[in-house]
Amino acid sequence: ADLGLIPIKAVVFQSMLLLVAIALEAMVLRQHLRLGYQTSVQYAATINLLTTSLGWIAFLSLEAVLPTALRQQIMSYVLFSRFFDNPWLDALPVMMVVAAIVVFFATYWVKLQGLSALVALLGKAPVLEAPALSDRPGRSRSSRRGAPSAARSRTATYTLAVLQANALSFTAIVILLFLQLQVVLP
């Protein structure tokens, strides 16, 4: 019956940003982890949907405890892509930068954990290059085995791939948000 106010514009824009992030991150995951096209898109879609869902849950939980004037600013931006003139207006730029940094690292961590869980759950480990073993004299046998260094190499490769994918998608999203503001504000 009464659904309240449905921010269709925000939902459509969020969907577009999600598609852009999936495409860019799939490209990076495919390149760094040597996954197939379909697998990299599936991994990117899964970790981005997980991150987006958790992000909205966190946002809606946090939004409920904010001061009313700040809640009005957030809702005015989400619904109308502009801010109202109230006491929070001057503090918003700093708060947005801090929030963006926190969100970047939080999503990075969730995506890294999600990718690790996905690989473990599905058993489809990416094909990673084996580290080159040196035959220099003086190296111990344990360092030639490569098992501990292979695990570290895999973790480092996952970490770097997810960091680069997240940075690329965040950069694209920030550019699209600025473009959206330029279209709405003039």
Side-chain angles (χ1 to χ4, degrees), residues 3 42 45 47 62 72 84 89 101 115 142 145 152 183:
L3 295 176
Q42 289 171 344
I47 62 177
L62 181 65
Q72 288 174 344
F84 290 132
L89 188 60
I101 292 170
L115 179 64
S142 63
R145 287 185 199 147
R152 271 184 258 128
V183 169

Side-chain angles (χ1 to χ4, degrees), residues 9-10 29 35 49-51 55 87 89 110 122 127-128 130 137 143 150 172 185:
K9 179 180 162 190
L29 291 179
L35 298 168
L49 288 172
L50 171 70
T51 304
L89 188 60
V110 169
L122 297 177
V127 179
L128 301 176
S143 67
L185 290 180

Side-chain angles (χ1 to χ4, degrees), residues 172-186:
I173 287 170
V174 167
I175 289 169
L176 290 172
L177 287 172
F178 280 130
L179 289 174
Q180 181 216 16
L181 279 176
Q182 294 304 316
V183 169
V184 172
L185 290 180

Side-chain angles (χ1 to χ4, degrees), residues 33 112 116 119 125-126 128-133 142-160:
L33 302 181
L112 185 60
S116 298
V119 167
L128 301 176
E129 296 175 10
L133 297 176
S142 63
S143 67
R144 288 185 192 159
R145 287 185 199 147
S149 65
R152 271 184 258 128
S153 174
R154 184 180 317 117
T155 303
T157 304
Y158 282 13
T159 303
L160 184 61

